[in-house]
Amino acid sequence: MAITAAPSTIPRGPVTARLNFTVPPAPGVKAVNYVDEPPAGEPQRNLVVDPREVVVSDVRGREADFGLDRDAFQVVTGLPESAEADFADDASIAARYYPEVERLLLDQIPGSRRVFIFDHTIRRAGPGAKRTAVMNVHIDQTPYSAEKRVRRHMGDDADALLRGRYRIVNVWRPLNKNPIEASPLGFGSSSSLEQKDIIPVEHRYPNGYVGQTAAIAYNPDQRWYYLSGMTGSERLLLECYDSEGMKEGSGVAGGRLPHTAFEDPRTRPDAEGRESIEVRALVFGP
């Protein structure tokens, strides 16, 4: 008697899903987010969400068709099990996982010669989680904040490093034991993003420090993707900034990746919540 395999519960293939973009502020108005209490009479943030239904294509099976210089994302597959087993202790992650990330970046980015990892974020599922999946389309860095990162972390070497090529790359992986079913990460090819789509957002801290990320306005010409059923043996390289990105003739199509988690309407109600870690690194060279 033939045995029929149970159908997979992992959503695959293209899907139309809701992505949360941002309405561009009025001319002359800065987009602002206060990290702590805002000044009296001001909102925590002055951004207006603009939800849109977007076709998100699956890159599974054609991972090699995409790369950092054109799309600002890259898929790496077939990696061995990490020396970091639990991803529960920051010191252990830095000691065991960071060296793996550094080696991966040096191996995967041609000409890279120096990597500095400056932080990581773990996202868990469930009501008690400190950090959960972000459901708004954004870019983690801007040219302003990227240069600021180099000066903040690289000390006396900063000026020389800023004269060469520098990037900020997030290395993203799931932490679930099984392939991801819920809240996959969506990412839009940098080559389909126009400069007018990018909304710089000031993050104002109580101590006076001002950081900057970017929200993204909807544009029907943007091309959106995800990697279905992602596992712990795979990594996404997400390029948040590339100093070659806006240089004419460089061959780099923008070098900035909009991304967001999204709810796949095909996900079964009792699917395991997605958990992940993203490690952020400065990459120098060539």
Side-chain angles (χ1 to χ4, degrees):
M1 181 178 176
I3 298 175
T4 302
S8 173
T9 59
I10 301 169
R12 297 196 186 275
V15 62
T16 298
R18 177 171 294 183
L19 304 187
N20 293 314
F21 295 90
T22 296
V23 177
V29 176
K30 286 185 178 180
V32 173
N33 172 64
Y34 288 98
V35 177
D36 207 333
E37 288 294 320
E42 293 195 31
Q44 191 80 46
R45 57 201 321 244
N46 64 349
L47 305 177
V48 178
V49 176
D50 181 18
R52 300 284 185 138
E53 297 294 315
V54 174
V55 175
V56 187
S57 299
D58 190 358
V59 303
R60 177 69 65 189
R62 53 193 184 111
E63 294 90 340
D65 292 347
F66 303 91
L68 293 180
D69 282 353
R70 184 185 64 188
D71 304 293
F73 72 86
Q74 180 176 322
V75 180
V76 184
T77 63
L79 294 174
E81 189 171 337
S82 175
E84 174 56 40
D86 299 324
F87 292 92
D89 177 77
D90 286 344
S92 179
I93 290 169
R96 296 173 182 271
Y97 187 54
Y98 279 18
E100 297 173 359
V101 170
E102 180 178 358
R103 185 73 262 158
L104 179 71
L105 290 168
L106 291 170
D107 288 346
Q108 293 294 325
I109 300 179
S112 58
R113 63 178 186 274
R114 185 173 180 180
V115 171
F116 180 85
I117 296 172
F118 57 87
D119 70 12
H120 69 268
T121 298
I122 293 176
R123 302 190 188 278
R124 300 289 187 185
K130 291 182 179 179
R131 303 287 290 273
T132 59
V134 176
M135 296 288 182
N136 292 296
V137 180
H138 66 285
I139 302 174
D140 290 1
Q141 310 287 337
T142 64
Y144 167 86
S145 57
E147 179 179 343
K148 206 166 186 177
R149 278 286 178 190
V150 175
R151 294 195 180 281
R152 179 178 179 181
H153 297 298
M154 305 312 294
D156 292 341
D157 293 340
D159 283 337
L161 291 169
L162 287 168
R163 287 194 290 271
R165 186 176 186 177
Y166 62 99
R167 320 181 211 200
I168 295 181
V169 180
N170 288 6
V171 178
W172 194 98
R173 62 155 290 178
L175 297 178
N176 304 69
K177 301 300 183 185
N178 299 311
I180 285 180
E181 291 186 56
S183 305
L185 188 72
F187 30 92
S189 172
S190 179
S191 64
S192 69
L193 187 69
E194 297 185 36
Q195 191 62 30
K196 66 181 178 62
D197 303 339
I198 300 172
I199 305 167
V201 181
E202 288 190 357
H203 294 267
R204 298 179 180 176
Y205 291 78
N207 63 3
Y209 180 83
V210 177
Q212 196 176 80
T213 61
I216 303 299
Y218 171 72
N219 184 329
D221 293 331
Q222 294 165 3
R223 299 189 302 275
W224 284 89
Y225 302 94
Y226 78 111
L227 178 63
S228 65
M230 192 172 174
T231 71
S233 66
E234 298 171 315
R235 305 288 184 272
L236 283 170
L237 306 187
L238 312 175
E239 191 169 68
C240 300
Y241 177 77
D242 185 341
S243 61
E244 294 291 297
M246 302 309 292
K247 294 180 181 178
E248 189 173 349
S250 71
V252 178
R256 66 279 199 254
L257 185 77
H259 57 283
T260 179
F262 68 94
E263 296 298 342
D264 189 321
R266 304 167 298 179
T267 303
R268 58 191 174 95
D270 59 345
E272 178 185 25
R274 183 260 279 179
E275 302 193 334
S276 61
I277 181 171
E278 59 219 60
V279 176
R280 302 176 185 88
L282 291 163
V283 182
F284 301 98

